[in-house]
Amino acid sequence: GKTILFVSHNLAALNSLCNKSVLLEKGKLIASGNTSEVIDRYLNMNYHTSTETEKGIIEIPSSVSGGIIKRIKMLNEGKPSGHFTSGCHSEIIIECESEKEIPNPVIGIVISDHFGTDMLGVNNKHYGIPFSSLKGKAAFRISIRKLPLTAGNYKLSVFLGNGIADIVSVTDAATFHVEALDVSGSGILPIERLNRIFTPDVNWELI
């Protein structure tokens, strides 16, 4: 038989190609075993390194956003946080500043999982909510009444455009964690490998 050593930070590729994995840091063995478990260990290590992520307030460097997107705030039930639960009321506030007027600004977000798979992508244009212009300082609030995500670590990307093209894009601007929640009171949580999107408004009846 043959052994192939695959070294990568591409988690989706690792998960699909490798049954067993090892995690190294500065030449030291941190974890080994089932690939999905090693990936979880890797994600937890990286997730907890960001104080800004923990607090839910992320300052965006001018070199990244051209000085237009200044700050991102993530709110869980009205409080800044990097931790959420499935089905919670969540808000994302994007603070901007532009010397030049941007007509008909379109602000959007994309949430992806730890494999880089896009799970949710929305902007105000999709929902028929127009903004006349952006000039000077402004803040956009995106409210999600029931966060439709199952347990896991996620990345948030932010985009600002004019309805025709993106002007600013901040990829993987923030990371956050979602905990599973027993919304039904049954004591049974959704099976994670079968549920990537959390759907609270499901009713069952015998007819």
Side-chain angles (χ1 to χ4, degrees):
K2 295 182 179 179
T3 299
I4 298 176
L5 179 63
F6 182 63
V7 182
S8 178
H9 287 273
N10 186 324
L11 303 185
L14 286 169
N15 193 56
S16 63
L17 296 174
C18 307
N19 295 321
K20 301 290 183 180
S21 296
V22 296
L23 173 60
L24 302 175
E25 183 178 29
K26 297 180 180 179
K28 294 182 179 181
L29 179 65
I30 303 298
S32 66
N34 182 278
T35 295
S36 62
E37 294 175 357
V38 174
I39 287 175
D40 286 341
R41 179 69 180 276
Y42 169 77
L43 291 169
N44 286 330
M45 286 173 56
N46 285 276
Y47 174 76
H48 290 293
T49 58
S50 175
T51 303
E52 288 186 328
T53 289
E54 290 287 325
K55 294 181 178 179
I57 301 176
I58 299 91
E59 304 289 341
I60 306 300
S62 296
S63 59
V64 174
S65 70
I68 297 178
I69 297 178
K70 298 290 189 179
R71 186 179 297 107
I72 298 170
K73 296 179 180 178
M74 301 183 294
L75 284 75
N76 178 0
E77 304 293 348
K79 297 180 180 180
S81 179
H83 297 269
F84 297 82
T85 54
S86 299
C88 74
H89 177 75
S90 59
E91 296 172 281
I92 298 167
I93 298 175
I94 303 167
E95 298 181 4
C96 304
E97 184 175 358
S98 177
E99 295 181 0
K100 183 180 179 180
E101 183 177 8
I102 301 175
N104 306 311
V106 175
I107 193 81
I109 61 169
V110 172
I111 296 175
S112 57
D113 66 9
H114 55 268
F115 292 121
T117 302
D118 293 340
M119 306 300 295
L120 176 68
V122 294
N123 64 43
N124 58 291
K125 188 177 180 180
H126 293 157
Y127 289 83
I129 303 175
F131 299 115
S132 58
S133 66
L134 167 62
K135 186 176 182 180
K137 295 182 179 180
F140 299 90
R141 182 194 305 269
I142 301 165
S143 299
I144 303 175
R145 189 170 65 86
K146 294 183 179 180
L147 187 66
L149 299 173
T150 54
N153 295 314
Y154 296 89
K155 295 180 179 181
L156 172 70
S157 298
V158 177
F159 303 86
L160 172 65
N162 57 13
I164 300 173
D166 288 333
I167 297 172
V168 178
S169 61
V170 185
T171 305
D172 297 343
T175 58
F176 62 94
H177 182 73
V178 176
E179 294 286 348
L181 180 66
D182 177 19
V183 292
S184 67
S186 66
I188 302 174
L189 297 174
I191 301 173
E192 290 185 27
R193 64 182 176 83
L194 298 178
N195 294 273
R196 307 298 301 282
I197 293 294
F198 172 81
T199 308
D201 298 324
V202 178
N203 186 48
W204 300 87
E205 59 180 325
L206 180 62
I207 60 173

